[in-house]
Amino acid sequence: MMRILILGGIGEAVKLARRLAPFHAVTYSLAGKGRAPDLPCAVRVGGFGGGDGLAAFLRDNRIELLIDATHPYAAQISRNAAQAAQAASVPLWAYRRPPWRPQPGDDWRSVADWTEMMAALREFKRPFFTIGLEPLRQAAMISPEQYWLVRCLAVEPPVSPRLTVLSATGPFSLEQESALLQDYQIDVLVAKNSGGAAVEAKLAAARQQGIPVVLLERPALPAADREFAEIERLAVELTDFLSV
Ligand code: NAP
């Protein structure tokens, strides 16, 4: 039995915690933005106080393996994990979810940041944002010709008469996404390249309707001792690692 800390916040991390909990002393950690999952292991909610705080947690709880299974755009916690693992001399394994790849018929435009995104959106009138809360903070940038649709997890008050907020949590079906694009007369989809299946249907709906997609590039993440593109592979390798 090993003392393992899983930094989670996505479906695959919950799956991994369920898989490992019967055999190990697992603590599942989440930032606290979403609902805490029901898990057969310790669940910890809230930040650690940066890399130093996480290193102290690793030492105080005599953690033997740190697993970074956070969202690919949650770059700060991944940086903290790398720093803390090194400071506390704890091995770091990471699940790095593969990005989506364009398919025939896709019109994907990659942007590095908010400035590039605004430039890419200039030619469109009805963008649909699926990148979290940032568009609500940037509502002053809505041009007089544009009307924004923003889908996010949190229930947010209206910030502009030229913007609609949809508070919703995936997964979403292809039928739902197709209807939404039509109902709001969307002419461009704005997304993170999150990868995974839960929110992928919007890309298929955009493809079917010939709608371009503006994709925010992934942040650079630090190296881990071992990196996995599949969560099941990580679980299997851990079993092999312990039986050696
Ligand atoms: P972030 O910018 O990398 O992290 C901000 C701060 O939140 C971290 O410095 C840390 O606070 C705390 N934190 C983040 N993940 C944590 C975890 N698993 N356990 C404990 N503390 C955590 O992350 P974010 O983009 O705000 O995302 C927060 C969480 O939501 C992540 O767990 C991520 O997997 C999940 N998520 C993110 C996205 C996204 O698009 N960013 C999408 C879906 C799910 P301290 O420095 O105080 O320790």
Side-chain angles (χ1 to χ4, degrees), residues 202-224:
K202 61 191 173 195
L203 298 171
R207 187 178 307 128
Q208 279 181 359
Q209 296 180 34
I211 294 173
V213 181
V214 171
L215 274 181
L216 183 61
E217 286 164 20
R218 285 186 167 200
L221 297 179

PDB file of all heavy atoms in Angstrom, residues 202-224:
ATOM      1  N   LYS A 202     -19.154  19.426 -29.647  1.00  0.00           N
ATOM      2  CA  LYS A 202     -19.283  20.763 -30.253  1.00  0.00           C
ATOM      3  C   LYS A 202     -18.433  20.883 -31.520  1.00  0.00           C
ATOM      4  O   LYS A 202     -18.803  21.582 -32.467  1.00  0.00           O
ATOM      5  CB  LYS A 202     -18.885  21.846 -29.243  1.00  0.00           C
ATOM      6  CG  LYS A 202     -17.458  21.754 -28.759  1.00  0.00           C
ATOM      7  CD  LYS A 202     -17.197  22.671 -27.582  1.00  0.00           C
ATOM      8  CE  LYS A 202     -15.816  22.418 -27.012  1.00  0.00           C
ATOM      9  NZ  LYS A 202     -15.617  22.988 -25.697  1.00  0.00           N
ATOM     10  N   LEU A 203     -17.287  20.165 -31.535  1.00  0.00           N
ATOM     11  CA  LEU A 203     -16.417  20.220 -32.712  1.00  0.00           C
ATOM     12  C   LEU A 203     -17.068  19.511 -33.890  1.00  0.00           C
ATOM     13  O   LEU A 203     -16.991  19.975 -35.032  1.00  0.00           O
ATOM     14  CB  LEU A 203     -15.066  19.575 -32.395  1.00  0.00           C
ATOM     15  CG  LEU A 203     -14.260  20.256 -31.298  1.00  0.00           C
ATOM     16  CD1 LEU A 203     -13.056  19.416 -30.920  1.00  0.00           C
ATOM     17  CD2 LEU A 203     -13.813  21.643 -31.738  1.00  0.00           C
ATOM     18  N   ALA A 204     -17.725  18.377 -33.610  1.00  0.00           N
ATOM     19  CA  ALA A 204     -18.425  17.646 -34.674  1.00  0.00           C
ATOM     20  C   ALA A 204     -19.595  18.475 -35.195  1.00  0.00           C
ATOM     21  O   ALA A 204     -19.851  18.517 -36.405  1.00  0.00           O
ATOM     22  CB  ALA A 204     -18.909  16.300 -34.132  1.00  0.00           C
ATOM     23  N   ALA A 205     -20.291  19.156 -34.290  1.00  0.00           N
ATOM     24  CA  ALA A 205     -21.428  19.992 -34.706  1.00  0.00           C
ATOM     25  C   ALA A 205     -20.933  21.141 -35.588  1.00  0.00           C
ATOM     26  O   ALA A 205     -21.538  21.452 -36.615  1.00  0.00           O
ATOM     27  CB  ALA A 205     -22.144  20.531 -33.466  1.00  0.00           C
ATOM     28  N   ALA A 206     -19.813  21.763 -35.211  1.00  0.00           N
ATOM     29  CA  ALA A 206     -19.244  22.851 -36.008  1.00  0.00           C
ATOM     30  C   ALA A 206     -18.827  22.327 -37.382  1.00  0.00           C
ATOM     31  O   ALA A 206     -19.063  22.973 -38.405  1.00  0.00           O
ATOM     32  CB  ALA A 206     -18.048  23.460 -35.281  1.00  0.00           C
ATOM     33  N   ARG A 207     -18.219  21.142 -37.404  1.00  0.00           N
ATOM     34  CA  ARG A 207     -17.785  20.523 -38.679  1.00  0.00           C
ATOM     35  C   ARG A 207     -18.990  20.324 -39.595  1.00  0.00           C
ATOM     36  O   ARG A 207     -18.963  20.692 -40.764  1.00  0.00           O
ATOM     37  CB  ARG A 207     -17.116  19.181 -38.363  1.00  0.00           C
ATOM     38  CG  ARG A 207     -16.467  18.490 -39.540  1.00  0.00           C
ATOM     39  CD  ARG A 207     -15.793  17.200 -39.062  1.00  0.00           C
ATOM     40  NE  ARG A 207     -14.885  17.446 -37.961  1.00  0.00           N
ATOM     41  CZ  ARG A 207     -14.917  16.780 -36.791  1.00  0.00           C
ATOM     42  NH1 ARG A 207     -15.805  15.822 -36.589  1.00  0.00           N
ATOM     43  NH2 ARG A 207     -14.066  17.078 -35.831  1.00  0.00           N
ATOM     44  N   GLN A 208     -20.055  19.743 -39.029  1.00  0.00           N
ATOM     45  CA  GLN A 208     -21.257  19.455 -39.829  1.00  0.00           C
ATOM     46  C   GLN A 208     -21.855  20.722 -40.423  1.00  0.00           C
ATOM     47  O   GLN A 208     -22.392  20.720 -41.517  1.00  0.00           O
ATOM     48  CB  GLN A 208     -22.315  18.779 -38.949  1.00  0.00           C
ATOM     49  CG  GLN A 208     -22.085  17.304 -38.769  1.00  0.00           C
ATOM     50  CD  GLN A 208     -23.179  16.644 -37.913  1.00  0.00           C
ATOM     51  OE1 GLN A 208     -24.099  17.320 -37.449  1.00  0.00           O
ATOM     52  NE2 GLN A 208     -23.066  15.355 -37.714  1.00  0.00           N
ATOM     53  N   GLN A 209     -21.792  21.813 -39.662  1.00  0.00           N
ATOM     54  CA  GLN A 209     -22.442  23.052 -40.111  1.00  0.00           C
ATOM     55  C   GLN A 209     -21.466  24.013 -40.807  1.00  0.00           C
ATOM     56  O   GLN A 209     -21.822  25.153 -41.105  1.00  0.00           O
ATOM     57  CB  GLN A 209     -23.130  23.733 -38.926  1.00  0.00           C
ATOM     58  CG  GLN A 209     -24.262  22.873 -38.363  1.00  0.00           C
ATOM     59  CD  GLN A 209     -24.974  23.531 -37.187  1.00  0.00           C
ATOM     60  OE1 GLN A 209     -25.125  24.747 -37.134  1.00  0.00           O
ATOM     61  NE2 GLN A 209     -25.441  22.717 -36.249  1.00  0.00           N
ATOM     62  N   GLY A 210     -20.221  23.560 -41.017  1.00  0.00           N
ATOM     63  CA  GLY A 210     -19.231  24.387 -41.710  1.00  0.00           C
ATOM     64  C   GLY A 210     -18.856  25.639 -40.930  1.00  0.00           C
ATOM     65  O   GLY A 210     -18.535  26.676 -41.505  1.00  0.00           O
ATOM     66  N   ILE A 211     -18.875  25.532 -39.588  1.00  0.00           N
ATOM     67  CA  ILE A 211     -18.546  26.681 -38.733  1.00  0.00           C
ATOM     68  C   ILE A 211     -17.066  26.607 -38.327  1.00  0.00           C
ATOM     69  O   ILE A 211     -16.611  25.579 -37.813  1.00  0.00           O
ATOM     70  CB  ILE A 211     -19.459  26.688 -37.478  1.00  0.00           C
ATOM     71  CG1 ILE A 211     -20.907  26.948 -37.904  1.00  0.00           C
ATOM     72  CG2 ILE A 211     -18.997  27.702 -36.450  1.00  0.00           C
ATOM     73  CD1 ILE A 211     -21.910  26.816 -36.788  1.00  0.00           C
ATOM     74  N   PRO A 212     -16.302  27.689 -38.536  1.00  0.00           N
ATOM     75  CA  PRO A 212     -14.894  27.681 -38.120  1.00  0.00           C
ATOM     76  C   PRO A 212     -14.758  27.586 -36.585  1.00  0.00           C
ATOM     77  O   PRO A 212     -15.677  27.970 -35.854  1.00  0.00           O
ATOM     78  CB  PRO A 212     -14.354  29.033 -38.612  1.00  0.00           C
ATOM     79  CG  PRO A 212     -15.360  29.542 -39.572  1.00  0.00           C
ATOM     80  CD  PRO A 212     -16.683  28.948 -39.193  1.00  0.00           C
ATOM     81  N   VAL A 213     -13.589  27.089 -36.164  1.00  0.00           N
ATOM     82  CA  VAL A 213     -13.303  26.957 -34.730  1.00  0.00           C
ATOM     83  C   VAL A 213     -12.016  27.725 -34.414  1.00  0.00           C
ATOM     84  O   VAL A 213     -10.986  27.476 -35.040  1.00  0.00           O
ATOM     85  CB  VAL A 213     -13.127  25.476 -34.326  1.00  0.00           C
ATOM     86  CG1 VAL A 213     -12.856  25.361 -32.827  1.00  0.00           C
ATOM     87  CG2 VAL A 213     -14.351  24.651 -34.711  1.00  0.00           C
ATOM     88  N   VAL A 214     -12.089  28.648 -33.472  1.00  0.00           N
ATOM     89  CA  VAL A 214     -10.894  29.346 -32.986  1.00  0.00           C
ATOM     90  C   VAL A 214     -10.457  28.624 -31.712  1.00  0.00           C
ATOM     91  O   VAL A 214     -11.210  28.546 -30.738  1.00  0.00           O
ATOM     92  CB  VAL A 214     -11.191  30.835 -32.714  1.00  0.00           C
ATOM     93  CG1 VAL A 214     -10.015  31.492 -32.000  1.00  0.00           C
ATOM     94  CG2 VAL A 214     -11.477  31.557 -34.027  1.00  0.00           C
ATOM     95  N   LEU A 215      -9.247  28.044 -31.762  1.00  0.00           N
ATOM     96  CA  LEU A 215      -8.763  27.221 -30.646  1.00  0.00           C
ATOM     97  C   LEU A 215      -7.639  27.922 -29.894  1.00  0.00           C
ATOM     98  O   LEU A 215      -6.627  28.311 -30.494  1.00  0.00           O
ATOM     99  CB  LEU A 215      -8.211  25.902 -31.178  1.00  0.00           C
ATOM    100  CG  LEU A 215      -9.181  24.750 -31.407  1.00  0.00           C
ATOM    101  CD1 LEU A 215      -8.421  23.545 -31.916  1.00  0.00           C
ATOM    102  CD2 LEU A 215      -9.947  24.384 -30.148  1.00  0.00           C
ATOM    103  N   LEU A 216      -7.824  28.049 -28.597  1.00  0.00           N
ATOM    104  CA  LEU A 216      -6.780  28.623 -27.742  1.00  0.00           C
ATOM    105  C   LEU A 216      -5.709  27.554 -27.524  1.00  0.00           C
ATOM    106  O   LEU A 216      -6.025  26.446 -27.063  1.00  0.00           O
ATOM    107  CB  LEU A 216      -7.404  29.042 -26.405  1.00  0.00           C
ATOM    108  CG  LEU A 216      -6.507  29.735 -25.403  1.00  0.00           C
ATOM    109  CD1 LEU A 216      -5.951  31.042 -25.959  1.00  0.00           C
ATOM    110  CD2 LEU A 216      -7.286  30.015 -24.113  1.00  0.00           C
ATOM    111  N   GLU A 217      -4.464  27.893 -27.857  1.00  0.00           N
ATOM    112  CA  GLU A 217      -3.380  26.913 -27.737  1.00  0.00           C
ATOM    113  C   GLU A 217      -3.195  26.455 -26.290  1.00  0.00           C
ATOM    114  O   GLU A 217      -3.463  27.213 -25.354  1.00  0.00           O
ATOM    115  CB  GLU A 217      -2.059  27.523 -28.238  1.00  0.00           C
ATOM    116  CG  GLU A 217      -1.999  27.632 -29.731  1.00  0.00           C
ATOM    117  CD  GLU A 217      -0.895  28.566 -30.202  1.00  0.00           C
ATOM    118  OE1 GLU A 217       0.057  28.837 -29.430  1.00  0.00           O
ATOM    119  OE2 GLU A 217      -1.008  29.043 -31.345  1.00  0.00           O
ATOM    120  N   ARG A 218      -2.687  25.266 -26.130  1.00  0.00           N
ATOM    121  CA  ARG A 218      -2.432  24.739 -24.794  1.00  0.00           C
ATOM    122  C   ARG A 218      -1.248  25.443 -24.136  1.00  0.00           C
ATOM    123  O   ARG A 218      -0.273  25.780 -24.818  1.00  0.00           O
ATOM    124  CB  ARG A 218      -2.119  23.248 -24.876  1.00  0.00           C
ATOM    125  CG  ARG A 218      -3.332  22.392 -25.114  1.00  0.00           C
ATOM    126  CD  ARG A 218      -2.970  20.942 -25.036  1.00  0.00           C
ATOM    127  NE  ARG A 218      -4.182  20.131 -24.952  1.00  0.00           N
ATOM    128  CZ  ARG A 218      -4.218  18.896 -24.500  1.00  0.00           C
ATOM    129  NH1 ARG A 218      -3.113  18.297 -24.113  1.00  0.00           N
ATOM    130  NH2 ARG A 218      -5.359  18.234 -24.446  1.00  0.00           N
ATOM    131  N   PRO A 219      -1.284  25.609 -22.818  1.00  0.00           N
ATOM    132  CA  PRO A 219      -0.108  26.160 -22.135  1.00  0.00           C
ATOM    133  C   PRO A 219       0.994  25.103 -22.067  1.00  0.00           C
ATOM    134  O   PRO A 219       0.713  23.903 -22.109  1.00  0.00           O
ATOM    135  CB  PRO A 219      -0.646  26.474 -20.731  1.00  0.00           C
ATOM    136  CG  PRO A 219      -1.792  25.542 -20.535  1.00  0.00           C
ATOM    137  CD  PRO A 219      -2.385  25.299 -21.895  1.00  0.00           C
ATOM    138  N   ALA A 220       2.237  25.573 -21.966  1.00  0.00           N
ATOM    139  CA  ALA A 220       3.349  24.629 -21.783  1.00  0.00           C
ATOM    140  C   ALA A 220       3.276  24.068 -20.366  1.00  0.00           C
ATOM    141  O   ALA A 220       2.963  24.803 -19.422  1.00  0.00           O
ATOM    142  CB  ALA A 220       4.667  25.363 -21.982  1.00  0.00           C
ATOM    143  N   LEU A 221       3.514  22.777 -20.233  1.00  0.00           N
ATOM    144  CA  LEU A 221       3.482  22.145 -18.905  1.00  0.00           C
ATOM    145  C   LEU A 221       4.870  21.601 -18.569  1.00  0.00           C
ATOM    146  O   LEU A 221       5.624  21.219 -19.471  1.00  0.00           O
ATOM    147  CB  LEU A 221       2.457  21.006 -18.896  1.00  0.00           C
ATOM    148  CG  LEU A 221       1.003  21.414 -19.131  1.00  0.00           C
ATOM    149  CD1 LEU A 221       0.094  20.197 -19.129  1.00  0.00           C
ATOM    150  CD2 LEU A 221       0.537  22.422 -18.080  1.00  0.00           C
ATOM    151  N   PRO A 222       5.213  21.557 -17.290  1.00  0.00           N
ATOM    152  CA  PRO A 222       6.546  21.060 -16.917  1.00  0.00           C
ATOM    153  C   PRO A 222       6.650  19.550 -17.123  1.00  0.00           C
ATOM    154  O   PRO A 222       5.629  18.857 -17.171  1.00  0.00           O
ATOM    155  CB  PRO A 222       6.635  21.407 -15.427  1.00  0.00           C
ATOM    156  CG  PRO A 222       5.225  21.458 -14.966  1.00  0.00           C
ATOM    157  CD  PRO A 222       4.408  21.925 -16.126  1.00  0.00           C
ATOM    158  N   ALA A 223       7.876  19.083 -17.220  1.00  0.00           N
ATOM    159  CA  ALA A 223       8.091  17.638 -17.370  1.00  0.00           C
ATOM    160  C   ALA A 223       7.816  16.936 -16.046  1.00  0.00           C
ATOM    161  O   ALA A 223       8.017  17.513 -14.972  1.00  0.00           O
ATOM    162  CB  ALA A 223       9.521  17.380 -17.811  1.00  0.00           C
ATOM    163  N   ALA A 224       7.346  15.700 -16.149  1.00  0.00           N
ATOM    164  CA  ALA A 224       7.156  14.862 -14.959  1.00  0.00           C
ATOM    165  C   ALA A 224       8.097  13.661 -15.086  1.00  0.00           C
ATOM    166  O   ALA A 224       8.654  13.415 -16.155  1.00  0.00           O
ATOM    167  CB  ALA A 224       5.710  14.405 -14.877  1.00  0.00           C
TER     168      ALA A 224
END
